[in-house]
Amino acid sequence: MTMDDYRLLTDEEIGVLEDNGCRAEDWTSVNVAEDFKPAYLKDVQFYGEVYLGVFDKNVEVSPGFIKHSGICHATLRNVTVGDNCLIEHVMGHINNYVIGEDCRISNVGVMETLDEATFGEGNTISVLNEAGSGNVVLFAGLTSNVAALMVKYAADKELFAAIRRMVRRDIERRMPETGTVGNGARILNTMKVVNTNVGAGCWIDGAQSLIDCTLTAEPGDGVYVGSGVICENTIVADGSEVTDNARVENCYVGEASKLTSGFTAENSLFFANTFMAAGEACAAFCGPFSASHHKSTLLIGCQLSFYNAGSATNYSNHAYKMGPLHYGTLLRGSKTASGAHLLLPATIGAFSVCLGKLTNHPDTTDLPFSYLIADAKGTFIVPGRNLITSGLYRDVNKWRRRDMREPQSRKSVVNDEWLNPFTVGAVCRGIALLEQLKQEQGADAECYTFQGCCITAKALRRGLQLYHMAVDMFIAEQLQPLHAEGNAATKGVGAWSDLSGLLLPEAEEQSMVYEIRGGYIDDVQLLQARMKTAGQRYRQFAAAWVQSLIHQRLRKQDITAADFDDLQQRGEAAHAEWVNLIKADAEKEFALGDVDRAVLDNFVVE
């Protein structure tokens, strides 16, 4: 409704309101819809400019419990109330808010918007480097991919300034003059809501306080904030939940993520189906499908995705004299076992598993799918070992099923392919690295030293076998798409990047960076569309990369039909071997005695 759709109260309506215990600082400042009826307002105090819709529907407050819409026991100042809201038992006041239609606000202490409110948007936080000057700008449309770009190029002042400018413009376009509550929202049993925008369909019930926050929602995909929650300077995006005494400050909680069971977080990011319970995060970048369930787990100064934290996992960024400056990256699919402790800095290769206390700051980017095991004897790397575990098989088959985001409104680009040019490229470099170690340190060595870690001769030989198996599997998987895509995407050749779920060639990433620096991409929506397009071209890019890989593997340029047949046969044999090894690993778990046979029989689906 526009201001022209409201009228002043009649003397008769004012009389009814006063008989119902309502009072106004100035009745001429109370404006109502044409069909307004005063009977459903009781004990309401009006200050400043107030605009009221109609109250002609019932509201179900609990299954089978119906109340009529209206306002009861509340103080309103400079408030617009849409049609058929139920507002009752406001202990303090509602000040400077626009409330949509069909909303319910009950048992609330204070709701107000103060001068110069930003609703949590535009704040710059420091992730990874806890003591840094800030590398991520929070805004309602933030995605894991855009955040990853900000973090990766934070030292590039020109690029970061360009990104910051487009974010500022986006915020300025959307920034309301006063706090808003979207249609169908619920704010119940909550002490304090200050400088907070609440999107349509969002639900707050039992929170302690929300201060300088934005809750965004897509149709049918609202945010839920539950009991005991304290949330400050934070954006919670569509489909996410913050519940059960969680405390969140200077964070972004995005797209079907959940923080619960007393979890505490500050200066951290949580994207796309991340689940965090009971533990703590500080300066953490938790990309898609990151998970931590345990009270004693501390995630600090780390970048993660497709990650699972074992109980009592601890990242140490403050063991040095210069302060909490250090940070680490666990590339996609990594895990930490119970009691794992990583002294940062460290970089852990994709789909690796960390066990024990890793103190020598390893960089195993080029040894993916490995076990890193630290004990009293030292730190050992078992290359490729995780390739043949039932845990990996379970992980790579669960993510797509567990994506709880609404398909029509997914914002972060999340590619959950586990064998892809990024991971298989690391496997190929791992093959070269292991061959180099064998050549430099001798074919008869018992232990090969890599970055202060030991790779036993047996582990090295087995690692080479497993890595070649993975490459053969991947090539065979890609032969059909390769025939379909042809040679159109030369950008796929070369190194690849993983921007927190978005897999793309580095050449494509650099083109994007160039376009941002040059002002060709000067809008957040354009940047996100550019990233989405890159994600949609994954198959085309990957086909070019695989074709280059085949040339390297066969060491010739002209690939014949016989070569393709041979590659297909090798890949099928490798896949059959992989499935058998996964089954054997699952059999070991079944032998422990507490797994039903039906679970084992249904575990591996070829």
Side-chain angles (χ1 to χ4, degrees), residues 561-578:
D563 291 326
F564 277 108
D565 289 342
D566 181 59
L567 291 168
Q568 188 70 51
Q569 291 172 14
R570 285 166 54 182
E572 290 173 357
H575 184 267
E577 179 187 4
W578 178 69

Side-chain angles (χ1 to χ4, degrees), residues 436-483:
Q436 181 182 353
L437 290 176
K438 188 166 62 172
Q439 181 179 359
E440 292 177 350
Q441 299 181 29
D444 56 350
E446 294 183 3
C447 176
Y448 295 89
T449 302
F450 175 71
Q451 296 190 359
C453 304
C454 173
I455 303 174
T456 67
K458 181 180 178 181
L460 185 143
R461 289 192 298 270
R462 186 57 171 151
L464 283 169
Q465 293 171 353
L466 295 175
Y467 280 165
H468 281 294
M469 180 186 71
V471 175
D472 288 341
M473 285 171 55
F474 178 65
I475 290 175
E477 288 175 1
Q478 298 298 315
L479 288 180
Q480 190 72 30
L482 176 60
H483 287 306

Side-chain angles (χ1 to χ4, degrees), residues 143-459:
T143 66
S144 64
N145 319 125
V146 172
L149 196 73
M150 289 184 188
V151 169
K152 188 171 183 178
Y153 294 95
D156 185 331
K157 294 183 179 180
E158 180 183 358
L159 180 67
F160 193 74
I163 295 174
R164 188 193 295 267
R165 282 195 298 272
M166 68 174 78
V167 169
R168 294 288 183 189
R169 285 196 295 270
D170 179 71
I171 293 171
E172 288 170 3
R173 277 199 302 268
R174 296 180 292 98
M175 186 65 64
E177 294 182 1
T178 187
T180 59
V181 178
N183 294 343
R186 301 285 185 269
I187 304 175
L188 313 173
N189 310 311
T190 296
M191 293 301 297
K192 185 181 293 187
V193 178
V194 177
N195 297 343
T196 293
N197 282 330
V198 180
C202 293
W203 194 307
I204 304 169
D205 190 354
Q208 287 194 46
S209 64
L210 287 89
I211 301 174
D212 297 306
C213 295
T214 293
L215 313 185
T216 69
E218 294 290 341
D221 199 22
V223 165
Y224 178 74
V225 178
S227 60
V229 168
I230 298 175
C231 201
E232 298 182 8
N233 295 307
T234 290
I235 297 169
V236 186
D238 31 298
S240 294
E241 298 182 19
V242 183
T243 65
D244 296 332
N245 298 299
R247 180 161 187 161
V248 186
E249 182 178 356
N250 294 320
C251 291
Y252 184 94
V253 184
E255 289 190 285
S257 293
K258 184 172 183 177
L259 277 55
T260 188
S261 301
F263 188 82
T264 63
E266 61 176 297
N267 294 295
S268 295
L269 308 171
F270 306 91
F271 291 106
N273 303 288
T274 284
F275 180 91
M276 296 283 154
E280 179 181 354
C282 178
F285 189 131
C286 299
F289 292 101
S290 296
S292 175
H293 295 76
H294 307 289
K295 187 176 296 185
S296 54
T297 295
L298 169 63
L299 307 177
I300 185 166
C302 53
Q303 185 166 9
L304 319 159
S305 63
F306 302 93
Y307 165 78
N308 195 292
S311 61
T313 289
N314 193 329
Y315 293 85
S316 179
N317 72 333
H318 204 172
Y320 316 102
K321 296 178 182 178
M322 294 176 65
L325 306 172
H326 305 282
Y327 54 90
T329 301
L330 278 74
L331 297 174
R332 63 164 49 205
S334 294
K335 291 182 177 181
T336 46
S338 295
H341 187 179
L342 277 70
L343 263 62
L344 306 178
T347 303
I348 306 301
F351 291 97
S352 294
V353 180
C354 300
L355 304 95
K357 186 172 182 177
L358 302 176
T359 62
N360 51 345
H361 316 295
D363 181 350
T364 63
T365 301
D366 295 339
L367 292 174
F369 300 99
S370 294
Y371 275 19
L372 285 80
I373 307 169
D375 60 21
K377 297 178 182 178
T379 301
F380 296 84
I381 301 175
V382 187
R385 178 64 182 84
N386 197 40
L387 270 165
I388 55 173
T389 65
S390 53
L392 173 91
Y393 182 87
R394 178 174 177 268
D395 285 342
V396 300
N397 285 285
K398 74 184 181 184
W399 289 315
R400 197 162 300 178
R401 298 195 310 268
R402 294 187 180 183
D403 195 336
M404 303 305 293
R405 299 176 297 162
E406 291 293 326
Q408 72 276 9
S409 58
R410 292 175 180 176
K411 298 179 178 64
S412 295
V413 181
V414 181
N415 187 330
D416 59 11
E417 296 283 345
W418 70 285
L419 289 179
N420 57 66
F422 179 76
T423 56
V424 177
V427 166
C428 293
R429 295 192 300 273
I431 292 171
L433 172 60
L434 295 179
E435 293 286 5
Q436 181 182 353
L437 290 176
K438 188 166 62 172
Q439 181 179 359
E440 292 177 350
Q441 299 181 29
D444 56 350
E446 294 183 3
C447 176
Y448 295 89
T449 302
F450 175 71
Q451 296 190 359
C453 304
C454 173
I455 303 174
T456 67
K458 181 180 178 181

Side-chain angles (χ1 to χ4, degrees), residues 1-2 5-6 31-37 40-41 51-59 68-71 79-87 98-105 181-186:
M1 295 176 64
T2 66
D5 296 320
Y6 293 94
N31 309 273
V32 297
E34 184 61 37
D35 295 328
F36 171 82
K37 295 181 177 58
Y40 298 106
L41 277 72
Y51 296 84
L52 303 174
V54 298
F55 305 98
D56 57 7
K57 290 183 180 179
N58 290 327
V59 177
H68 199 283
S69 58
I71 307 176
V79 173
T80 297
V81 180
D83 293 345
N84 298 305
C85 291
L86 175 60
I87 300 175
V98 174
I99 300 168
E101 299 178 358
D102 302 304
C103 296
R104 184 176 168 221
I105 299 173
V181 178
N183 294 343
R186 301 285 185 269

Side-chain angles (χ1 to χ4, degrees), residues 57-128:
K57 290 183 180 179
N58 290 327
V59 177
E60 187 174 46
V61 299
S62 188
F65 182 8
I66 304 299
K67 287 187 176 183
H68 199 283
S69 58
I71 307 176
C72 179
H73 307 304
T75 299
L76 309 181
R77 178 183 179 273
N78 295 336
V79 173
T80 297
V81 180
D83 293 345
N84 298 305
C85 291
L86 175 60
I87 300 175
E88 57 183 352
H89 304 297
V90 178
M91 293 169 280
H93 55 264
I94 302 176
N95 178 30
N96 292 327
Y97 258 93
V98 174
I99 300 168
E101 299 178 358
D102 302 304
C103 296
R104 184 176 168 221
I105 299 173
S106 178
N107 296 324
V108 171
V110 172
M111 281 182 61
E112 65 180 339
T113 306
L114 304 177
D115 292 341
E116 299 181 358
T118 64
F119 310 102
E121 298 205 59
N123 295 331
T124 301
I125 68 171
S126 295
V127 298
L128 303 189

